Amino acid sequence: MIPDPAPTATPAETSVEISVIHTLAEIDAQDWDACACPEAADDGRPADPFTTHRFLRALEQSGSVGAGSGWAPRYLVARAEGMVIAVAPLYAKSHSQGEYIFDHNWAHAYERAGGRYYPKLQVAVPFTPATGRRLLTRPGFETVGQSALVQGAVQVAVEAEVSSLHITFCTETEARAGEAMGLMARSSQQFHWENRGYVAFDDFLASLSSRKRKNIRKERQTAQSFGGEIVQLTGDAIRPEHWDAFWVFYQDTGARKWGTPYLTRRFFDIAQETLRDDMMMVLALRDGEPIAGALNFIGRDVLYGRYWGCIEDYPCLHFEACYYQAIDFAIAQGLATVEAGAQGAHKLARGYLPTQTHSLHWVRDPGFADAIRTYLAAEKDAVDEEIEVMTGYGPFKKTLSED
């Protein structure tokens, strides 16, 4: 069991008290979101839908996190003069599933050396490999808030005598700040599509080499020939019956990828109630019945591809539903980026280029920390080189002769 820390004060301009809460029911949604998505205070769209009170609370209420899941909520709350100035989605972890910044080798090495790697602490959005702020601060309290959250998280780790603390899929700015505070920075990569001012999908195609352009057109034609129609649904157009179908798709994919799905069926019921305006669902319908689908979350500037599944397999339908429909939507909505989830070098040929992602790590054992620090330096060089090489193999035109 991870104990709550005693109230502390950080040596900064503002005296800050850190506390731990075990459920978001203990904090007002407006207080949390004032730190998580202050840009949405005017009822606009949050930059990152995954750190909002409603998303994280849905994970709790649905039982996707909590007892039996290996994700035990230990949210950090920083207050100054009674006002919430910073929060962080902190969890005690009994495994490394659902994180996508892999530390399984660290765990094996730690335990072979006689240590106990689990439980550990994780500042993250469960099951969500999407970049966003993890040290969530109210505007004007960025420096003192980030410092308080890092100190508070490390204090919890020290008092609980856990092996380590991890902050995953944080922003580059947070990675630099955390490294300056003594945490170890780690680089990984994903594949993202960037909107270069396209007005239509054909504008995107025109930026590709002739061979890649022809290949994508062929894939889209093949996918569309499955014998039905493909639709995009958002907001109130997403109906409860669509979740019934999508749950079947999600179960199939979850069973093949992870053994058991991470999200419960109840999560999708809550999503219908509180999250449908944050989502875009792609459904492939044959004779009016869904046979495949993909689920995306909509940020202020980014479309986040999250889940895919099917009950009937057709050539190229996965590429169409997950990648090309997402590009169509991003262009139509003027979104800057599509993040298509973790891994997948096959995304490169479809216009998704390698992009660096960031995480931060603290390890209690000094000797093991030194070994990881050496490993991370070598890993970063390898990641940088791989991104450079793979970008060179991207589908975009290199010369005019490729048109």
Side-chain angles (χ1 to χ4, degrees), residues 371-403:
I372 288 179
R373 189 174 290 106
T374 300
Y375 168 81
L376 292 180
E379 184 186 49
K380 183 182 186 306
D381 289 342
V383 168
D384 290 344
E385 181 178 357
E386 185 175 11
I387 289 176
E388 182 178 357
V389 170
M390 296 190 75
T391 299
Y393 282 103
F396 294 91
K397 294 176 186 175
K398 310 298 188 300
T399 66
L400 291 176
S401 62
E402 292 185 274
D403 194 3

Side-chain angles (χ1 to χ4, degrees), residues 177-359:
E179 196 169 18
M181 286 184 259
L183 303 183
M184 294 181 287
R186 187 179 189 185
S187 297
S188 304
Q189 71 162 359
Q190 287 184 339
F191 293 86
H192 298 173
W193 178 86
E194 299 295 334
N195 189 346
R196 302 179 179 180
Y198 306 125
V199 176
F201 194 89
D202 281 345
D203 297 327
F204 160 61
L205 290 180
S207 70
L208 307 181
S209 66
S210 176
R211 184 169 64 88
K212 297 299 184 182
R213 183 165 62 242
K214 290 176 182 177
N215 183 65
I216 289 177
R217 282 177 174 155
K218 183 178 179 180
E219 286 186 344
R220 298 205 78 177
Q221 290 170 355
T222 299
Q224 295 284 351
S225 67
F226 76 98
E229 64 172 335
I230 297 174
V231 298
Q232 296 179 1
L233 305 173
T234 60
D236 291 341
I238 303 176
R239 304 296 303 156
E241 58 267 26
H242 297 140
W243 291 118
D244 292 335
F246 195 83
W247 171 245
V248 175
F249 306 153
Y250 176 71
Q251 279 187 300
D252 176 69
T253 299
R256 285 185 287 105
K257 281 191 173 184
W258 316 303
T260 56
Y262 290 139
L263 300 174
T264 66
R265 178 64 180 87
R266 175 63 177 150
F267 175 84
F268 296 105
D269 291 333
I270 297 172
Q272 172 66 22
E273 298 169 10
T274 65
L275 296 169
R276 63 183 183 272
D277 289 337
D278 298 318
M279 296 183 294
M280 189 274 282
M281 182 184 291
V282 176
L283 289 178
L285 307 174
R286 190 164 58 79
D287 298 326
E289 295 297 321
I291 56 94
L295 185 64
N296 304 266
F297 279 78
I298 310 168
R300 179 162 287 206
D301 297 308
V302 182
L303 184 69
Y304 301 91
R306 290 303 303 117
Y307 305 110
W308 147 266
C310 64
I311 56 174
E312 297 180 15
D313 192 19
Y314 292 93
C316 301
L317 189 56
H318 171 256
F319 299 147
E320 175 65 25
C322 294
Y323 307 140
Y324 302 140
Q325 288 288 321
I327 291 173
D328 276 336
F329 184 85
I331 291 173
Q333 299 298 317
L335 301 177
T337 307
V338 178
E339 291 192 18
Q343 304 174 301
H346 61 279
K347 298 166 186 171
L348 184 66
R350 291 156 186 96
Y352 291 74
L353 294 180
T355 304
Q356 192 176 64
T357 59
H358 304 276
S359 59

